[in-house]
Amino acid sequence: DAKTTQPNSMESNEEEPVHLPCNHSTISGTDYIHWYRQLPSQGPEYVIHGLTSNVNNRMASLAIAEDRKSSTLILHRATLRDAAVYYCILKTPMRGSGDKLTFGTGTRLAVRP
Amino acid sequence: DTEVTQTPKHLVMGMTNKKSLKCEQHMGHRAMYWYKQKAKKPPELMFVYSYEKLSINESVPSRFSPECPNSSLLNLHLHALQPEDSALYLCASSQYTGGTYEQYFGPGTRLTVT
């Protein structure tokens, strides 16, 4: 699987937007960009994914660069509950045999009240 | 119901014991996964089952033996483990969604090998 690079840690103030960057310069044309997060003492939780276009859902937005070599996860208003490790993962679809998620080291997000 | 359940939550076992971890989902997903997560590290894939057949084994030692008795259940049988196998064991499931799969994770079983 192609590699992703994320900052080790970031801080944000509560109720402010947060932009979490991810570099993936070796992405291939069929790779999807996935984001998961892991809250303390819990299993990872799916956040969002995209291929080429920007994506929005109830949790976050995903902005994908035009050349697809980088992406940014946007939390519009950080809450204390958003403090977690955020993983950016590249995933090549493997229909019929299940997906293989290769987690990088992720970004630990701290949210200040 | 978008829940993956895992039992037990915590397990302490000796190096000569045999134990099993259990994972269950009722979302109709046909792919299930075992991951291992050491403290302060990201999860690492161990096994993938697709349609109840083992499709990926990430060179896991034979002291870990997975089993998928039906489409809702996934077990991980443990035997003769080492202290370095102490970790959080995560189960996940997925079904084809929008061109790729989104995985749902359980809360994990925290295993301590003494």
Side-chain angles (χ1 to χ4, degrees):
Chain A
D1 291 317
K3 185 176 168 56
T4 61
T5 305
Q6 299 176 252
N8 287 333
S9 62
M10 291 183 66
E11 281 191 342
S12 171
N13 294 320
E14 197 176 10
E15 299 190 4
E16 289 185 356
V18 182
H19 291 233
L20 296 164
C22 181
N23 287 320
H24 30 79
S25 58
T26 59
I27 191 170
S28 76
T30 56
D31 285 344
Y32 282 75
I33 301 159
H34 278 243
W35 284 82
Y36 283 73
R37 71 180 186 181
Q38 189 170 20
L39 279 65
S41 303
Q42 294 189 25
E45 174 187 32
Y46 167 81
V47 177
I48 200 166
H49 77 272
L51 183 62
T52 55
S53 303
N54 295 343
V55 183
N56 299 299
N57 67 20
R58 63 174 179 81
M59 288 181 72
S61 296
L62 177 60
I64 301 173
E66 198 168 329
D67 63 5
R68 299 209 326 126
K69 293 185 186 299
S70 66
S71 61
T72 302
L73 179 71
I74 302 164
L75 307 179
H76 295 286
R77 289 179 74 242
T79 69
L80 296 178
R81 195 194 171 276
D82 292 322
V85 178
Y86 287 78
Y87 295 103
C88 168
I89 302 162
L90 298 185
K91 183 63 205 83
T92 302
M94 295 170 64
R95 186 190 289 269
S97 61
D99 272 2
K100 181 175 169 179
L101 288 181
T102 303
F103 288 77
T105 52
T107 296
R108 184 172 297 276
L109 176 66
V111 179
R112 291 183 292 256
Chain B
D1 180 8
T2 58
E3 191 179 22
V4 174
T5 59
Q6 291 187 244
T7 53
K9 284 187 169 44
H10 300 275
L11 178 63
V12 179
M13 61 185 290
M15 289 189 284
T16 58
N17 291 158
K18 284 186 181 180
K19 296 285 185 184
S20 296
L21 310 184
K22 180 180 169 183
C23 172
E24 198 163 2
Q25 56 88 14
H26 296 286
M27 294 177 277
H29 290 174
R30 302 311 298 271
M32 295 185 78
Y33 311 78
W34 281 115
Y35 289 83
K36 173 181 177 178
Q37 185 173 27
K38 301 281 279 184
K40 300 197 183 303
K41 298 289 187 185
E44 295 178 347
L45 181 69
M46 299 174 73
F47 302 104
V48 179
Y49 272 83
S50 180
Y51 294 88
E52 294 108 71
K53 287 187 171 30
L54 183 65
S55 60
I56 296 177
N57 176 341
E58 292 287 274
S59 303
V60 178
S62 60
R63 57 185 184 269
F64 295 91
S65 175
E67 178 197 21
C68 190
N70 60 56
S71 60
S72 300
L73 274 176
L74 185 66
N75 298 319
L76 185 63
H77 303 297
L78 313 172
H79 173 56
L81 294 193
Q82 304 297 310
E84 59 264 29
D85 296 320
S86 298
L88 181 68
Y89 288 84
L90 294 159
C91 174
S93 71
S94 71
Q95 192 168 40
Y96 188 84
T97 303
T100 185
Y101 297 83
E102 130 193 5
Q103 292 190 14
Y104 293 81
F105 284 80
T109 293
R110 189 160 300 281
L111 174 68
T112 303
V113 182
T114 61

